């Protein structure tokens, strides 16, 4: 007999704003909490001069508000475009049942219904960092280091929201902590591809791979970066935190994908079964370049000499 944990009956709506009747979903709340925590953490980093090369902060902490605005747009737009382009391009020309001013919307803009890609969000944030650095004349690598240090907080809450939504479930398992996700049955029935999409069964226990990813990509990666920044002086080597984040996330995602149900949907009613034939998932293929680039960045940064602290050089914004 296989033991399993029944999936908790989470309401996808966290709360509803009184008077407006506007529902706030856990998915949206996770993004908000992750962005706010990252915003405050970057402000703390930017205000601590001793962490930076030469004891000089890369930008004024008050400018973090602008950085939050750029990154919010980058996460939302990049994350959604990444999902549409990488996993479901048919959303670009499929119209939604929802309308605005009586006009139908393309399903690609239905962010509130889920479907975000980390790799797309990462590219969106990279563009945001470039725009912010150009506007503020801040060192691009140091801006990127700040974002790399804050990113695991958002990733953690995002994966928890994935679990609450019952999405991105894992592969079938006989482990005692396996979870029976009712959304699997619902999705299979709606798509009419139960046997094709979900080999191994629908009502069987599955790995809570969302929690595995929250632990690897969120908790563990955050702990590594916290130690490197506050104990090992990582920010004094511009680009090092970026490299550690890229390699660390790539490794964590690559490992977690062995327990996560592969992303099979490729649009237009077709499913990609090659992931079962070649052994690697699309998420693993997208993570491999991150691991390689991250390792190269770390190697390059560590070869550079560390800039010493000038004894009489004032920090930016100080008299």
């Amino acid at each position: 007999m296989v033991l399993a944990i029944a999936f908790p009956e989470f309401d996808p709506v966290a709360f509803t704003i009184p008077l407006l009747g506007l529902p706030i979903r856990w998915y949206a709340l996770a993004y908000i909490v992750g962005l706010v925590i990252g915003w405050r953490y970057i402000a703390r980093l930017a205000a601590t001069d001793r962490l930076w090369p030469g004891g000089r902060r890369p930008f004024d902490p008050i400018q973090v508000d602008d950085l939050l605005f750029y990154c919010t747009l980058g996460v939302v737009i990049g994350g959604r475009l990444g999902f549409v382009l990488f996993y479901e391009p048919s959303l670009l020309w499929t119209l939604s049942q929802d309308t605005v001013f009586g006009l139908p919307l393309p399903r690609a803009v239905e962010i509130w219904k889920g479907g975000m890609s980390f790799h797309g969000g990462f590219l969106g944030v990279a563009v945001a960092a470039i725009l912010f650095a150009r506007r503020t004349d801040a060192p691009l690598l140091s801006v990127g280091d700040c974002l790399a240090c804050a990113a695991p907080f958002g990733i953690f809450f995002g994966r928890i929201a994935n679990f609450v939504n019952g999405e991105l479930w894992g592969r079938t398992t006989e482990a005692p902590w396996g979870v029976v996700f009712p959304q699997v049955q619902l999705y299979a029935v709606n798509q009419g591809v139960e046997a094709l999409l979900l080999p191994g069964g629908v009502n069987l226990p599955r790995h809570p791979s969302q929690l595995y990813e929250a632990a690897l990509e969120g908790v563990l990666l955050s702990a590594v970066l916290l130690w490197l920044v506050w104990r090992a002086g990582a920010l004094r080597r511009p680009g090092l935190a970026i490299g550690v984040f890229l390699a660390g996330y790539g490794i964590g995602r690559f490992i977690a994908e062995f327990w996560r149900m592969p992303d099979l949907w490729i649009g237009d009613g077709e499913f990609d079964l090659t992931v079962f034939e070649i052994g690697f998932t699309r998420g693993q293929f997208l993570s491999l370049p991150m691991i390689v680039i991250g390792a190269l960045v770390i190697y390059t940064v560590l070869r550079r000499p560390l800039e010493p602290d000038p004894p009489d050089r004032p920090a930016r914004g100080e008299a």
Side-chain angles (χ1 to χ4, degrees), residues 112-161:
W112 55 91
K113 293 187 177 180
M116 300 285 281
S117 163
F118 166 81
H119 297 93
F122 170 78
L123 294 176
V125 171
V127 172
I130 293 172
L131 294 176
F132 174 81
R134 292 186 62 180
R135 182 176 180 273
T136 61
D137 198 28
L140 178 58
L141 287 179
S142 292
V143 173
D145 284 337
C146 285
L147 296 175
C149 291
F153 300 123
I155 294 172
F156 171 79
F157 287 106
R159 294 309 183 194
I160 296 299

Side-chain angles (χ1 to χ4, degrees), residues 83-121:
F83 175 80
V84 171
L85 296 177
F86 296 152
Y87 297 103
E88 200 165 346
S90 63
L91 294 179
L92 288 171
W93 54 82
T94 304
L95 295 181
S96 168
Q97 295 180 349
D98 298 327
T99 60
V100 174
F101 301 115
L103 298 176
L105 296 170
R107 290 184 60 199
V109 304
E110 293 182 315
I111 298 176
W112 55 91
K113 293 187 177 180
M116 300 285 281
S117 163
F118 166 81
H119 297 93

Side-chain angles (χ1 to χ4, degrees), residues 2-319:
V2 179
L3 300 177
I5 300 173
F7 184 77
E9 293 296 329
F10 291 115
D11 187 337
V13 176
F15 60 89
T16 301
I17 298 179
L19 301 179
L20 297 179
L22 180 65
I24 303 298
R25 298 178 177 271
W26 289 108
Y27 201 73
L29 195 60
Y31 274 88
I32 294 171
V33 172
L35 285 167
V36 170
I37 292 177
W39 165 51
R40 298 316 307 157
Y41 183 57
I42 292 176
R44 171 74 182 280
L45 295 177
T48 309
D49 295 331
R50 65 179 178 84
L51 298 177
W52 301 99
R56 184 182 181 125
R57 66 185 66 169
F59 51 86
D60 195 282
I62 198 172
Q63 295 175 308
V64 177
D65 295 351
D66 296 334
L67 182 59
L68 173 67
F69 173 75
Y70 284 111
C71 288
T72 301
L73 292 179
V75 167
V76 175
I77 297 175
R80 184 58 174 177
L81 280 177
F83 175 80
V84 171
L85 296 177
F86 296 152
Y87 297 103
E88 200 165 346
S90 63
L91 294 179
L92 288 171
W93 54 82
T94 304
L95 295 181
S96 168
Q97 295 180 349
D98 298 327
T99 60
V100 174
F101 301 115
L103 298 176
L105 296 170
R107 290 184 60 199
V109 304
E110 293 182 315
I111 298 176
W112 55 91
K113 293 187 177 180
M116 300 285 281
S117 163
F118 166 81
H119 297 93
F122 170 78
L123 294 176
V125 171
V127 172
I130 293 172
L131 294 176
F132 174 81
R134 292 186 62 180
R135 182 176 180 273
T136 61
D137 198 28
L140 178 58
L141 287 179
S142 292
V143 173
D145 284 337
C146 285
L147 296 175
C149 291
F153 300 123
I155 294 172
F156 171 79
F157 287 106
R159 294 309 183 194
I160 296 299
N162 290 148
F163 180 77
V164 171
N165 285 349
E167 60 191 4
L168 305 183
W169 355 273
R171 306 179 194 227
T172 56
T173 180
E174 295 184 359
W177 57 84
V179 178
V180 177
F181 292 95
Q183 292 86 345
V184 178
Q185 174 74 35
L186 179 62
Y187 189 79
V189 170
N190 287 344
Q191 298 295 337
V193 289
E194 179 173 329
L196 178 65
L197 179 63
L198 303 168
V202 174
N203 292 318
L204 296 178
R206 294 178 175 274
H207 286 284
S209 55
Q210 313 96 324
L211 302 183
Y212 300 172
E213 293 193 65
L216 290 171
E217 305 160 9
V219 177
L220 181 59
L221 183 53
S222 177
V224 170
L225 285 167
L226 283 169
W227 184 85
L228 287 173
V229 168
W230 297 97
R231 296 294 183 185
L235 295 182
R236 292 162 59 85
R237 295 183 178 274
L240 181 58
I242 297 174
V244 171
F245 171 78
L246 288 172
Y249 176 88
I251 292 171
R253 176 69 180 269
F254 193 92
I255 293 173
E257 287 278 330
F258 285 113
W259 294 286
R260 173 174 160 172
M261 191 67 193
D263 300 297
L264 304 177
W265 178 255
I266 59 176
D268 300 325
E270 298 180 5
F271 296 88
D272 183 7
L273 297 184
T274 58
V275 292
F276 294 108
E277 299 170 1
I278 62 179
F280 282 170
T281 69
R282 190 172 313 170
Q284 288 174 320
F285 276 121
L286 292 173
S287 296
L288 282 174
M290 297 184 69
I291 298 172
V292 173
I293 294 173
L296 290 174
V297 170
I298 294 172
Y299 174 77
T300 302
V301 170
L302 292 179
R303 285 176 57 87
R304 298 174 183 168
L306 183 64
E307 179 181 345
D309 286 342
D312 56 351
R313 183 180 181 182
R316 181 176 296 188
E318 296 181 355

